Amino acid sequence: MNKWNKRYSLFEDIFSGVFLIGGLALIFYEVIMRYIFNSPTTWITEISAVMVTWGILLGMSVALRDKHHISVDILYTLLPQFLQRKIDYFANIIGVIFCLFFTWGGIELIKNAFESGQTSMDTGIPLGFYYFVIPISGILFMVRFIGNIYEVWSSRKETGVERKLNLEEDQNEYSSAF
Amino acid sequence: SGEKDASADVSSNGYQKMEIKLSHVAAEDTPKGQSAIKFKEIVESKSDHTITVKVYPSGQLYGDNDEIEALQANNVQIIAPSAAKIGGFNKSFEIFDLPFMFKDHKALYSFEDGEGGKKLLSKVDSAGMIGLDFWPNGFKHVTNNKREIKAPEDLKGLKVRTHGGEIINDVYKTLGAGSAKIAFNETYQALQLGTVDGQENSLINFESQKYTEVQKYMTLSSHARSEYVLLANKSWWNKLNDKTKDLLNEAIKESTKTGRELEDKYEKEAMEKIKQSGKVNIHELTDDERNEFIKKLQPVTDKWSKEMDSDILQKAKESNQ
Amino acid sequence: MNIAALFSSFTFLILFRIPIAIALVGASIIMFWLTGTFTTWTIPHKMFTALNSTTLVAIPGFVLAGAIMAKGGISKYLIDALRAWVGHLSGGLSVVTILACTFFAAISGSSPATAAAVGSIMIPAMVDAGYNKRYAMGLVAASGTLGILIPPSIPLIVYGVVTEQSIGKLFIAGVIPGMFLTLMLIIYAVIYAKKKGYGRLEKATWAKRRSSLSKASWGAFLPILILGCIYSGATTPSEAAIIACVYSLIVSLFIYKETSLNNWHQILKDSIGVSSMIMLIIAAASVFSLYMTQEQIPQTIANAMLSSDFLGKTTFFIATAILFLILGMFLESSSIMLITLPLLLPIMLSVGINPYHFAIVMIINMEIAQITPPVGLNLFVISGIAKENLSEVFKGSAVFILLMVVCLIIMMVFPSLSLWLPNKMSF
Ligand code: NA
Ligand code: NA
């Protein structure tokens, strides 16, 4: 299980990383072409921005996995443990609903884009292709919310102390930003 | 859920009770902004406020990149994007970007009001939209910081900020210049610091975006046309009763007229302000100079003409005579 | 009615620990459903287009550059050098932080980019030297807002276009107020550090200082490189973020050579996570803003506040400051300006306020908006790069909101601070 979890995480990192880094690299290329070779293009500008957008959206699940998304703890910390667990379930279920909405909306959008046949101004690429990232990232994001629900469920027998330790461990793992 | 508003009940005066949302990206004090307000005034007063029109200017509600989808989803009922943008549905809309396609306002308006314009507007039908009319913005001129531009060679090596589009890119490539896409809100500084050397725009946009402060040479080239297409959601429009449709059509006609009058007025005012600043060297292309450009850019015209409706092109050419 | 329903559904969602971004979209969807005529599949599209922007790439760019600097050695040696040179001075490091923000403000037109660039180096530096982390985060969040006051500034460009004022003059008008706010922050930081006893490291020897500086010189050159890139016209301010990435990559790989493959994996996933978090909130805020604009909520609030007949200069300033404070909690500065300025401009002129003066006052309001919750981009940036709760970051920056309100009042009362320089200009 753990091995697969690691592989899946690596897949998430590489998938979003390729787009994010690739997009930034293209911007660098465009700067070089414009400033040194005096030959700017508009298509690189378009493609690079789309690639960065892909990287960012695919990264939503990476951010959830590594606990980057920001939420407000004011009420949570005041509540007893059994209510905290209820909130954990609730928040993650809302997350899943959001992902379903996001994915469904993305599919509708893609259908609409191909039906009406709109292409981009600078490359002529059908815009529908650019939107594929929406359902894909929605599903990846949802996988992580479901994973969170599973974690809450599997920790149902933990005592308060164990839970606290686990939470701290979670945080330590990712507080090594510097 | 966007279905229910259009089939709404009919008032005793025969107009359908409804609210129309009109979203556009220009400021209120531009020809387009004033056309939108004129449209609102006519529709609301003649329908005795049975119909209300909410105008959202300046891209407050939707911007260049999301207004079309919002229209297709009927979240807004009317928008006025640039024709170049609609080129993404049908290349013929980029006719306004073909170099030196329209000689002057007279030619342009006679094309837009005639068979050619009508046929062009019908080209968005398959995309869930109805083409209603063209709203004016202005002929585009090229400006830069390096040198006075009188001949095609003068553009060689210049980096020009454009709003993009395959034809525009080709035009600058053929002239030996590069067309760069810089975000609108970074363009001022990019011109100031020389990240790009020049840009192309209508006089009204040039002045309102304060490029007078950061550009030295302006060539009144009128090489292309910045034009908007007034679009409505198709299924919404088709559910309107005849009386309502007639009113909207009348209001559109009037507001287009207003836009054309104001384009003329605002352009003169903009020109006056640009001259007053004393910072911009202005050169107007002579007929000979203009012909040099036309000759040089003929391959671009030929290449992209093939992708457009030949009938529409023919009508456009005839309008110049 | 709509306003109350929107804000209460948003509050409900965030209290139940739903990520802020999802709560923003969720509250908007609920309201759109109640409105009845809105087709909601366009919401993911709105989010996509909000992110698909050539200026926003500065955020992932500076976050990535910061992560490379942190793991690749640049930050470490810079921190060593800073400690050796100013670590013994009371508040020395916090003054360096403020000046670094001022410096970055002069290259970037956006506040989150400024906070990301400086925060990733200076927060750990201050924490290392014994500063309270909460204070360090608040300081960077607040100083980072200088990005939009000191030219270049994206919001000032928007202001210039909407109100038809000279953008060049607006930029110049921001210079003195920017330096004034910098000075205020420095004075506060020094007094605070004296009181808390920050910055009493042992004084380093000159030999140590020289060696640390030579080791850090590669990192110290970076700001000069970026400034050079922008003012020579090589790059736009947002593209400069990518130059920062490439430069730190080269220095880390070929000069410091301290990174392992594992480090690079960590850099990658940290950058993805932090930038996705920030950008998702930006995308979600654009949906929230769409609902507010469609229902003309900002106009409703503005009209309610500005309808009184006895409106004078003072009441106008106070009313708009309150308006911007409320809107600034939820909306991003460019949207606030686009929506309210056409409404405010005629009133401003009729009560006799100079538009350049108002521009500066409004920008300081927008700076405050960047550090007020629940939607404050600088708070999110700092929370992301410092790995701390939003509430901790906010507790650290609350005092700076007060400080900036004081600055705001001074700018309102003394128009010459904003107007003296632009009046000297020829155009
Ligand atoms: Na700045
Ligand atoms: Na805020």
Side-chain angles (χ1 to χ4, degrees), chain C residues 325 327-331 368-377 379:
Chain C
L325 194 66
L327 295 179
M329 288 165 72
F330 297 96
L331 298 179
I368 295 173
Q370 315 256 20
I371 52 171
T372 53
V375 182
L377 282 187
L379 298 178

Side-chain angles (χ1 to χ4, degrees), chain B residues 109-222:
Chain B
Y109 296 155
S110 94
F111 166 77
E112 288 181 346
D113 297 339
E115 287 299 307
K118 201 171 282 171
K119 186 161 189 200
L120 183 53
L121 286 174
S122 73
K123 297 268 174 193
V124 290
D125 265 16
S126 57
M129 305 183 284
I130 290 264
L132 299 173
D133 208 348
F134 299 96
W135 277 1
N137 184 26
F139 280 101
K140 286 196 283 189
H141 310 289
V142 62
T143 69
N144 81 101
N145 264 332
K146 285 260 162 90
R147 52 185 165 260
E148 189 166 48
I149 293 170
K150 292 180 166 173
E153 306 82 71
D154 295 333
L155 271 143
K156 207 164 269 170
L158 291 187
K159 292 170 274 191
V160 182
R161 188 266 178 185
T162 69
H163 64 62
E166 290 175 296
I167 297 181
I168 294 176
N169 295 343
D170 239 16
V171 164
Y172 285 100
K173 208 168 128 196
T174 308
L175 294 170
S179 155
K181 201 169 191 169
I182 302 271
F184 164 71
N185 54 18
E186 284 189 326
T187 303
Y188 177 92
Q189 207 196 345
L191 292 170
Q192 187 179 37
L193 298 174
T195 315
V196 285
D197 306 306
Q199 60 90 44
E200 53 156 49
N201 239 316
S202 69
L203 282 178
I204 298 171
N205 287 358
F206 180 85
E207 199 282 322
S208 70
Q209 283 151 29
K210 309 286 156 207
Y211 295 157
T212 318
E213 295 170 9
V214 289
Q215 289 280 269
K216 289 195 196 110
Y217 302 99
M218 167 179 273
T219 299
L220 296 176
S221 50
S222 299

Side-chain angles (χ1 to χ4, degrees), chain A residues 45-95:
Chain A
T45 315
E46 176 185 313
I47 300 281
S48 59
V50 169
M51 282 182 74
V52 171
T53 308
W54 274 60
I56 293 294
L57 286 176
L58 293 170
M60 291 190 303
S61 69
V62 175
L64 185 64
R65 179 193 76 202
D66 294 354
K67 304 191 177 4
H68 286 295
H69 286 299
I70 292 179
S71 43
V72 173
D73 281 340
I74 303 169
L75 181 67
Y76 191 78
T77 48
L78 295 175
L79 296 175
Q81 201 204 329
F82 78 98
L83 280 178
Q84 284 189 346
R85 294 174 49 81
K86 295 241 152 56
I87 287 190
D88 286 340
Y89 277 124
F90 179 72
N92 284 301
I93 287 169
I94 295 284

Side-chain angles (χ1 to χ4, degrees), chain C residues 105-106 108-109 147 150-153:
Chain C
S108 96
I150 293 173
S153 154

